[in-house]
């Protein structure tokens, strides 16, 4: 079908408007079937938490994602486990041997000093595209808005391709309250001063995704998307769901008006 006027979507090897899925152990055969149909609307694939370390057929999975033009990377929890055991060099070497070109630097579980994370980013950038995550998985820990902005800006200035706002796969920490509601004051402040084309908002549920689409536009970057939700999400982006039905083309182009750093 190609006859409706819909919000304009980025396409191809896009830099924004990204859909980043979380793979928490999808069997290879099932993954192949999903990507055959929906691979064109997936941009990034996170092999979630530390599951890559124990995933059967890991190399085949990585190769399959890349065959579909999808960028695979390992979850930040695996990075933190390697940091805790002083194995970052071995970790980066392993990623290179697997053909993974993206790496996440996070501190969702550990409290890794910002200085240390910036040093690791500088080293990792020699061979990888780097994504840095901001925020804690512990819902009882609160960062003030100025801290969010400072970390995100420092990571972007250090050469990270994107920054991720922590939300967990449950949507109950980081940019979300314990009950799952969005911290709207935080989001409104972040998008005032930071280029939203370079933020990936973790949005694990359709409700969270609808909030960001309606707030920022069809081409907002969204992460921690479930594989089974990618077609629903693309429908939302195109104004083909009741909650985003009146999404306007001009609103979808909002990202073009955000400040660049």
């Amino acid at each position: 079908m190609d006859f409706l006027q819909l919000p304009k979507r980025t396409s191809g090897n896009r830099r924004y408007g990204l859909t980043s899925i979380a793979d928490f152990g999808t069997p290879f055969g099932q993954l192949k079937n999903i990507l055959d149909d929906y691979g064109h609307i997936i941009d990034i694939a996170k092999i979630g938490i530390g599951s890559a370390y124990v995933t059967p057929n890991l190399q085949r999975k990585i190769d399959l994602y890349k065959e579909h033009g999808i960028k695979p990377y390992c979850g930040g929890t695996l990075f933190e486990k390697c940091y805790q055991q002083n194995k970052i060099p071995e970790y980066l070497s392993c990623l290179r041997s697997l053909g993974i070109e993206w790496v996440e630097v996070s501190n969702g579980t550990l409290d890794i000093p910002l200085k240390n994370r910036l040093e690791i980013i500088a080293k990792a950038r020699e061979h990888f595209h780097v994504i840095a995550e901001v925020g804690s998985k512990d819902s009882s820990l609160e960062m003030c808005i100025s801290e969010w902005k400072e970390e995100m800006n420092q990571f972007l200035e250090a050469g990270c391709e994107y920054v991720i706002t922590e939300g967990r796969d449950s949507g109950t920490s980081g940019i979300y309250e314990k009950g799952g509601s969005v911290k709207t004051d935080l989001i409104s402040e972040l998008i005032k001063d930071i280029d939203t084309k370079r933020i990936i908002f973790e949005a694990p549920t359709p409700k969270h995704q609808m909030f960001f689409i309606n707030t920022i536009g069809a081409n907002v970057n969204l992460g921690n998307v479930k594989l089974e939700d990618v077609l629903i999400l693309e429908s939302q982006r195109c104004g083909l769901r009741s909650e985003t039905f009146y999404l306007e083309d001009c609103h979808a182009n909002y990202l073009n008006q955000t400040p660049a750093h």
Side-chain angles (χ1 to χ4, degrees), residues 39 43 65 69 73 149 189 200 207 243:
D43 304 283
Y65 276 124
Y73 77 98
K149 288 183 178 180
E189 287 298 318
I200 298 175
K207 181 179 179 180
E243 290 82 356

Side-chain angles (χ1 to χ4, degrees), residues 35 68 71 89 105 117-118 125 146 165 171 198 256:
L35 296 187
H68 286 270
K71 304 170 180 66
V105 174
R117 283 177 280 155
L118 289 170
R125 284 188 63 231
S146 61
T165 59
R198 300 183 67 189
N256 292 328

Side-chain angles (χ1 to χ4, degrees), residues 120-132:
I120 293 169
I121 288 167
K123 181 66 176 176
R125 284 188 63 231
E126 296 175 9
H127 300 289
F128 297 92
H129 301 280
V130 183
I131 303 174

